[in-house]
Amino acid sequence: MNRRATLTFLVLALVVLLGAGRGVRPDAVRDTVRSGLAADAAPAACPPAGFTRLDGGHIRMPSGATPGATRLLVAVMSGADGDADDNLGLGAAANAQGIAVLYPTVRAGSIWQLNDARGVTDVQATTGLLQRTLKTGCFDPSRVSIAGVSNGAGFATRMACELPTQFAAVVSVAGGYRALDPCPAAARASFLAIHGTADTIVPFNGRKPDRRGNVPRYAAGWAARDGCSNVPAVLHPRHLVTRLVFGNCPAGLRVEILRLSGTDHGWPGAPPPWPRHNPSGLDANLEVLRYIRHAVRPAP
């Protein structure tokens, strides 16, 4: 019996002794003991290939997934149904590369809660789903990333701040940062923002008069926590695409922005209307998967 199982047995045995004096049925407690030990001894296993509903969401698994071999998991905050029809195309693209995609779907209202004032139940539900998924033993806990689009991107960023040592990478597509609470200094992960300059719902440079939510400013704050340069290098990998790279990051961390000239609000590469216009032709699916593929959670 391993240490955890031994501790579980001793605690529950104490419950038996205390419960005997309070009229608690011993057989009911014994059932609890058995279930606790059975859960502790459960072997690692992966969900089946394809779409599987879970308590609080669903998952899309690649074929041939086995514990120890299926290492990468990305949690995605999208629409109310968790993009069950894979309209973004990320599920199919990720599975083709052997990456599993987890979609939380339980939330308190019509949008994700972005700060403590709006509530913590979305954080609790998403954390619970993630913990249950990792408990299967299928995935490498150091290779878990999180992504989202629009309000979901803001919530994905909040989750990375709420669980500051959990994620290898955070990818925010058309994300808003204006409503977020300050992120703790301990929150370190690779960070990528994909954002169009024609986005009028969440403007790239933030809203006047204070420009809160300014994408370069928010990314610079993340770069500072990661220990990267505070002034990004400016690259032009293709027409209408500018890559801002905060260099000199330690421990394999990366902080980048993909600024798409003329692209409006949404997931670039997805069918209109989100976005309606994407003259850059950039495919967010390819960029998300490229970014998370080599991301590893930094050491504490």
Side-chain angles (χ1 to χ4, degrees):
M1 185 181 294
N2 61 32
R3 182 178 178 183
R4 181 180 170 191
T6 302
L7 181 59
T8 300
F9 183 86
L10 291 174
V11 170
L12 291 174
L14 180 60
V15 173
V16 172
L17 293 174
L18 293 176
R22 298 182 181 178
V24 177
R25 291 187 302 109
D27 58 335
V29 180
R30 281 196 297 270
D31 290 343
T32 304
V33 173
R34 293 192 191 100
S35 63
L37 294 178
D40 186 74
C46 291
F51 180 97
T52 299
R53 293 198 181 278
L54 305 173
D55 178 16
H58 58 259
I59 195 167
R60 289 185 180 274
M61 291 292 298
S63 59
T66 57
T70 307
R71 303 177 64 194
L72 273 68
L73 175 71
V74 56
V76 178
M77 315 296 134
S78 54
D81 68 344
D83 195 22
D85 296 325
D86 199 23
N87 292 316
L88 299 180
L90 180 63
N95 286 176
Q97 296 188 27
I99 300 172
V101 189
L102 179 69
Y103 300 85
T105 57
V106 176
R107 59 187 187 187
S110 59
I111 60 174
W112 297 101
Q113 299 163 333
L114 294 185
N115 52 48
D116 286 349
R118 296 183 183 179
V120 298
T121 52
D122 288 351
V123 172
Q124 293 168 344
T126 301
T127 300
L129 174 64
L130 184 61
Q131 290 175 340
R132 291 190 297 274
T133 303
L134 292 178
K135 250 180 121 175
T136 63
C138 183
F139 309 103
D140 183 344
S142 69
R143 304 294 302 279
V144 179
S145 296
I146 190 166
V149 58
S150 191
N151 167 255
F155 182 69
T157 307
R158 180 188 181 185
M159 284 296 303
C161 295
E162 296 280 358
L163 303 177
T165 61
Q166 176 66 76
F167 299 106
V170 185
V171 184
S172 171
V173 182
Y177 315 108
R178 184 182 181 91
L180 297 178
D181 292 328
C183 203
R188 298 174 64 243
S190 292
F191 180 82
L192 171 65
I194 302 175
H195 215 109
T197 62
D199 191 333
T200 58
I201 296 175
V202 185
F204 181 81
N205 289 318
R207 292 194 179 278
K208 297 178 180 179
D210 57 6
R211 297 294 186 183
R212 284 188 63 193
N214 177 287
V215 176
R217 188 185 305 162
Y218 188 83
W222 201 285
R225 282 195 306 278
D226 278 357
C228 310
S229 300
N230 56 7
V231 178
V234 181
L235 309 174
H236 300 280
R238 57 189 286 182
H239 183 55
L240 301 179
V241 176
T242 302
R243 186 183 296 275
L244 306 175
V245 180
F246 295 84
N248 299 319
C249 301
L253 291 167
R254 295 172 295 158
V255 178
E256 300 180 12
I257 300 170
L258 285 173
R259 184 178 66 203
L260 312 183
S261 298
T263 298
D264 52 25
H265 190 71
W267 186 275
W274 306 107
R276 292 186 182 278
H277 306 286
N278 179 29
S280 73
L282 182 134
D283 186 334
N285 291 330
L286 297 180
E287 296 298 332
V288 169
L289 298 177
R290 174 192 66 81
Y291 209 73
I292 70 172
R293 175 162 289 283
H294 302 293
V296 178
R297 184 177 64 197

